């Protein structure tokens, strides 16, 4: 076992930071790290915090984490912000709302850019969670980018999804559309001191009551993170959800599903490389594309020919 | 994809003027870097803790309070104590010319005063980053 892994497992922050950097940038190192730490993962309660931009996700995370560390818990936080599609750069600003946590010995915060991923997380987030998990934290919070309507990748990584809403984002039809509204395990209307908060909560409740197929009806809470109001209740609900997951076997079921998806994605990604190498060899793709535009063949015929030659 | 340079843009000290810090954060973003901005009134301890957790390659500090001779070297000293002195550290703000040689002697790689273009800062980072 390498020195980095040993330190990481002992909870050394520098080692954890280095491992996450490796995971964000280098595929072969990621593989080596994950293989070594795999057996030490699966212990932390992974909580996804998602919701529209400006809903107060970072402030809420800050307050929940303070509540947990006061109880002696260890916490890891991954905060994702968008990467510019133009320059590839990003401004990661979630730490601004978590300044007091920087020096907490039992808290580790890491900011990540999405780097081209559109589901609300980055490609490396899932593996970064494993690193934090292996480092011995009790809770991992993943704060997604501000989501719109369909960034739902967080369900593939988190055990519990906390959906943060705010008053005044639109009428109730917004809450019955498909997408992010379907993935919340717990809903919280933040900035509850603003006009319209009870109504927003009612609309969410009505939307949830329409769904008859739910195994568990998610609770809807009110909170004002900036004033530290409603945080105890939220932390209680997080605990209740964790208990529910354990007691019903739902946790195992979710993790089985997610791991299955993860393996499929890894295979897809390797297959994609094989396909690209094959099609780009000797300018085959360029020739085919020109033929398609010249109408001498079509996209489906070309697909079948490629598949045939790849299979050998 | 090539690994982007990660930069912590920090505001040590008690002044509340972050126009410069935000401007430089934006310029570095547009140059393809990942910029972690931690907000106002950061202590050297907070800055170093964030730099370690974020595993940054560079720390840029903007300071207009006059406390640069104390705060900037303190950050370098704390980085050294953590064995993280391979992180490139630079400063910016209203810093008197006379103070710059002293700051450089204490490990601040460069000091940018008003009038510096963002292009100069970007070039400086790209040419001097040690651990990228």
């Amino acid at each position: 076992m390498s020195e980095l892994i040993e330190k990481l497992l002992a909870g050394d922050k520098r080692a954890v930071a280095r491992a996450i950097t490796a995971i964000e940038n280098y595929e072969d190192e990621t593989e080596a790290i994950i293989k070594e730490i795999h057996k030490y993962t699966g212990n932390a309660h992974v909580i996804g915090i998602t919701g529209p931009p400006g809903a107060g996700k970072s402030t809420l995370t800050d307050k929940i984490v303070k509540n947990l560390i006061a109880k002696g818990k260890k916490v890891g936080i991954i905060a994702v912000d968008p990467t510019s599609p133009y320059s590839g750069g990003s401004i990661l600003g979630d730490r601004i709302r978590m300044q007091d946590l920087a020096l907490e010995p039992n808290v580790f915060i890491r900011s990540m850019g999405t780097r081209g991923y559109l589901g609300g997380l980055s490609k490396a987030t899932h593996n970064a969670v494993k690193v934090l998990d292996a480092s011995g934290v009790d809770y991992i919070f993943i704060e997604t980018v501000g989501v719109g309507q369909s960034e739902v990748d967080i369900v593939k990584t988190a055990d519990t999804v906390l959906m943060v809403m705010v008053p005044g984002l639109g009428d109730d039809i917004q809450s019955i559309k498909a997408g992010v509204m379907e993935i919340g395990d717990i809903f919280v209307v933040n900035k509850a001191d603003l006009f319209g908060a009870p109504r927003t909560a009612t609309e969410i409740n009505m939307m949830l009551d329409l769904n008859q197929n739910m195994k568990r009806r998610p609770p809807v809470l009110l909170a004002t993170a900036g004033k530290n109001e409603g945080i105890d209740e939220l932390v209680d609900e997080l605990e209740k959800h964790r208990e529910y997951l354990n007691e019903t076997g739902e946790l195992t079921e979710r993790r089985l599903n997610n791991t299955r998806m993860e393996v499929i994605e890894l295979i897809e990604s390797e297959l994609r490389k094989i396909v690209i190498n094959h099609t780009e060899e000797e300018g085959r793709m360029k020739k085919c594309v020109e033929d398609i535009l010249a109408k001498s063949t079509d996209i489906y015929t070309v697909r079948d020919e490629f598949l045939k030659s790849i299979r050998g | 994809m090539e690994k982007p340079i990660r930069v912590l843009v920090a505001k040590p000290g008690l002044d509340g003027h972050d126009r410069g810090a935000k401007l430089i954060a934006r310029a570095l973003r547009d140059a393809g870097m990942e910029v972690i901005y931690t907000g106002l009134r950061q202590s050297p301890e907070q800055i170093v803790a964030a730099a370690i957790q974020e595993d940054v390659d560079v720390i840029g500090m903007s300071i207009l309070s006059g406390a640069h001779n104390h705060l900037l070297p303190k950050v370098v000293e704390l980085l050294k104590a953590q064995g993280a002195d391979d992180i490139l550290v630079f400063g910016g703000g209203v810093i008197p010319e006379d103070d710059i040689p002293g700051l450089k002697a204490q490990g601040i790689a460069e000091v940018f005063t008003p009038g510096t273009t963002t292009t100069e800062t970007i070039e400086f980072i790209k040419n001097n980053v040690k651990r990228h």
Side-chain angles (χ1 to χ4, degrees):
Chain A
M1 191 183 290
S2 73
E3 199 192 334
L4 178 81
I5 303 289
E6 260 173 48
K7 284 186 170 172
L8 184 169
L9 293 175
D12 179 88
K13 288 188 180 180
R14 195 126 197 256
V16 171
R18 282 280 158 94
I20 295 177
T21 300
I23 279 171
E24 276 199 291
N25 298 289
Y26 311 108
E27 269 181 37
D28 46 346
E29 285 183 39
T30 303
E31 209 171 308
I33 291 170
I34 297 301
K35 279 179 178 170
E36 289 226 53
I37 66 171
H38 176 61
K39 58 173 174 278
Y40 305 99
T41 61
N43 306 311
H45 182 186
V46 184
I47 297 157
I49 303 214
T50 192
K57 296 182 290 298
S58 305
T59 309
L60 207 55
T61 307
D62 178 66
K63 296 299 189 289
I64 295 172
V65 170
K66 278 178 182 156
N67 187 300
L68 290 169
I69 54 175
K71 296 170 180 159
K73 304 294 184 188
K74 288 186 182 174
V75 182
I77 302 170
I78 294 173
V80 189
D81 266 332
T83 294
S84 160
Y86 301 107
S87 70
S90 51
I91 292 183
L92 313 175
D94 292 317
R95 290 189 87 100
I96 298 172
R97 312 274 172 232
M98 307 183 201
Q99 286 188 351
D100 301 341
L101 297 177
L103 291 175
E104 286 295 338
N106 289 336
V107 178
F108 181 97
I109 310 172
R110 181 62 173 249
S111 315
M112 298 177 103
T114 52
R115 299 196 186 175
Y117 264 63
L118 298 176
L121 301 177
S122 81
K123 186 185 175 191
T125 306
H126 191 67
N127 283 332
V129 166
K130 292 179 189 171
V131 169
L132 286 174
D133 197 343
S135 80
V137 298
D138 302 301
Y139 295 86
I140 298 166
F141 288 84
I142 309 167
E143 188 194 324
T144 73
V145 301
V147 299
Q149 295 177 323
S150 57
E151 295 89 342
V152 296
D153 273 1
I154 189 68
V155 282
K156 290 190 250 167
T157 306
D159 302 323
T160 302
V161 175
L162 178 63
M163 181 64 63
V164 186
M165 309 296 286
V166 275
L169 286 180
D171 62 23
D172 53 357
I173 197 72
Q174 297 299 341
S175 66
I176 58 171
K177 288 182 182 171
V180 294
M181 291 302 289
E182 294 176 282
I183 63 166
D185 296 303
I186 300 168
F187 286 78
V188 57
V189 178
N190 189 32
K191 308 190 189 184
D193 54 343
L194 293 183
F195 176 78
R199 184 179 163 172
T200 303
T202 306
E203 283 170 3
I204 297 167
N205 273 315
M206 285 173 65
M207 180 273 300
L208 292 171
D209 286 335
L210 287 176
N211 192 339
Q212 305 294 321
N213 305 323
M214 255 175 215
K215 288 188 219 158
R216 172 186 158 276
R217 163 68 155 78
V220 181
L221 289 90
L222 291 168
T224 307
K227 294 178 182 165
N228 207 21
E229 287 168 6
I231 305 302
D232 286 337
E233 292 81 355
L234 249 178
V235 171
D236 285 347
E237 285 299 339
L238 291 173
E239 289 314 308
K240 275 193 214 160
H241 188 247
R242 170 77 183 205
E243 281 163 23
Y244 161 83
L245 291 174
N246 283 327
E247 282 163 13
T248 57
E250 173 91 12
L251 186 69
T252 312
E253 197 180 316
R254 283 193 189 197
R255 288 186 176 175
L256 282 172
N257 267 332
N258 291 344
T259 307
R260 182 170 162 273
M261 287 306 299
E262 207 184 344
V263 173
I264 290 176
E265 276 169 28
L266 282 174
I267 297 171
E268 272 177 357
S269 148
E270 287 308 304
L271 282 178
R272 197 181 163 81
K273 283 181 206 159
I274 295 172
V275 169
I276 290 188
N277 284 339
H278 180 86
T279 53
E280 293 301 335
E281 217 171 277
E282 296 159 10
R284 282 179 204 149
M285 184 55 93
K286 186 169 178 285
K287 170 89 175 56
C288 288
V289 171
E290 282 165 2
D291 289 348
I292 294 167
L293 290 190
K295 318 284 185 212
S296 63
T297 184
D298 61 86
I299 51 176
Y300 293 106
T301 307
V302 166
R303 174 197 65 184
D304 291 341
E305 282 166 6
F306 270 129
L307 282 180
K308 213 169 154 190
S309 67
I310 287 172
R311 284 179 183 139
Chain B
M1 201 166 72
E2 197 192 335
K3 177 188 180 301
I5 298 175
R6 277 171 75 88
V7 187
L8 180 71
V9 171
K11 277 284 305 163
L14 296 176
D15 73 274
H17 306 281
D18 62 352
R19 253 318 252 288
K22 284 176 178 163
L23 184 89
I24 202 72
R26 171 70 195 262
L28 300 183
R29 182 201 88 177
D30 290 343
M33 300 180 198
E34 276 185 357
V35 182
I36 295 107
Y37 182 54
T38 51
L40 294 171
R41 299 183 192 94
Q42 297 286 286
S43 68
E45 287 78 9
Q46 283 175 312
I47 292 169
V48 170
I52 298 281
Q53 292 173 25
E54 298 291 351
D55 199 21
V56 295
D57 310 300
V58 184
I59 301 175
M61 289 180 282
S62 163
I63 183 160
L64 295 95
S65 68
H68 47 269
N69 282 336
H70 170 65
L71 294 171
L72 302 192
K74 181 75 183 167
V75 167
V76 176
E77 189 190 312
L78 291 169
L79 286 173
K80 265 195 194 126
Q82 299 257 10
D85 47 342
D86 53 348
I87 297 176
L88 177 72
V89 179
F90 71 91
V94 282
I95 295 172
E97 288 293 331
D98 291 351
D99 290 347
I100 295 176
L103 289 170
K104 285 191 175 175
Q106 293 178 87
I108 316 300
E110 190 53 270
V111 176
F112 297 107
T113 51
T116 311
T117 65
T118 53
T119 320
E120 282 172 66
T121 312
I122 292 162
E123 282 307 306
F124 173 79
I125 292 173
K126 285 184 175 166
N127 293 333
N128 291 279
V129 62
K130 284 172 247 182
R131 43 168 300 194
H132 185 48

